[in-house]
Amino acid sequence: MSYLINHNNNSFSNSFEISGSKSESNRLLILNSIYGNLKIDNLSNSDDTVILDKYITHLESHIDVHHAGTAMRFLTALLSIKTNKQFLITGSKRMKERPIKILVDALNKLGANISYYDKKGFPPLLIKGQEIVGGEISLSSQISSQYISALMLIAPILKNGLLINLEGKITSKPYLEMTLAILKKIGINCYFKNNIISIQPCSKINISSISVESDWSSVSYFYSIVALSNAAELNIGTFYKSSIQGDFRLCEIYTKLGVETKFIKSSSRISLKKINDFTKPDHIDLDLTENPDIAQTIAVTCFGLGISCDLFGLHTLKIKETDRLEALKIELSKLGAIVKITDNSFHLAPSFSINTGISIETYNDHRMAMAFAPLALMTPLIINNPDVVTKSYKDFWKDLKSLNFTLSQI
């Protein structure tokens, strides 16, 4: 199935909600599995969170997370401490190509019993749950933050807690800070200083409920829509000025691309508005080491505005649902862009026209579908396999329709 997407790009406005943060929700589900009786409000309705919740609620000996990378990593850590139980955890074809050796090695060093069912370093995994006492471990900080967060989430239940020494420049640091902030919210004694993460053991928490902020990564696509619009104003909730999500940085980045953000305290909403008489820059240069999930959105926005850009710190995009750098290059080139990529950067030349009648492949990657959709404001666009968005944002196409986008199934 594909969608042909159109929009007349007249002025438009609307108000709607976005589901809770997938990242926050998944961390809280792991902690609720450990401590129990934690009421989680505004839980994400994404496929990733639904899959994780399913297996946490009803643990099975054979677990298939499909495309859910976070579920694979977080469950690997959680299952390793489920004493006297055995599990086989697997996923989609792409999941079996995504490395997990660093996390497995770290857990095994701490006393876990995890082995490979097929190819060394990759899922599927055989896990024999047993007691892990914790202690101290050193890891390269150039790895996916989800490996480190997976260890952090089980750390409080380990007899000796956990001290993690991170070596080198840290990748996606805001996600580690998010994990730490959530641990602190539920009463865990922990700190993160000078590349050292310390988490003390805790057998019981004294909090009974917690609310999840809406997902900043998901709202990035609406920043792009407002930036590419002739005139638009959107009110979207629920968001906080004191957000623990790293993609909160969108507020600052998109000011450079013509979008004003206002926080409406009375309703916990944000207002996104096209800046009047905005003069677009010729070029933007960004280090997205801490915000790789919004790289695709920013790249497509810059292309639509005819702005050149250099985006750095993107080495983790090579091992996502697809090789996102290569996918971006292929699909933007079809639209007429001149793109160069390296192993960790993306470079876009200024564009002066957009090719029409283009069909965008999504590579089983939710962010490819959602990042390219706003370009329908500039030209009719075909998005292949549109249902892939359910991985993180089930209501994406419904919310697009509410903004006068026309979606025709073809």
Side-chain angles (χ1 to χ4, degrees), residues 31 222 269 285 407:
L31 291 167
F222 298 98
R269 289 175 172 267
D285 189 310
L407 277 63

Side-chain angles (χ1 to χ4, degrees), residues 80-81 104 106-114 128 130-132:
S80 72
I81 59 171
V104 170
L107 287 164
N108 282 342
K109 283 180 185 175
L110 290 169
N113 186 344
I114 306 173
K128 296 180 179 179
Q130 58 192 41
E131 183 181 6
I132 300 175

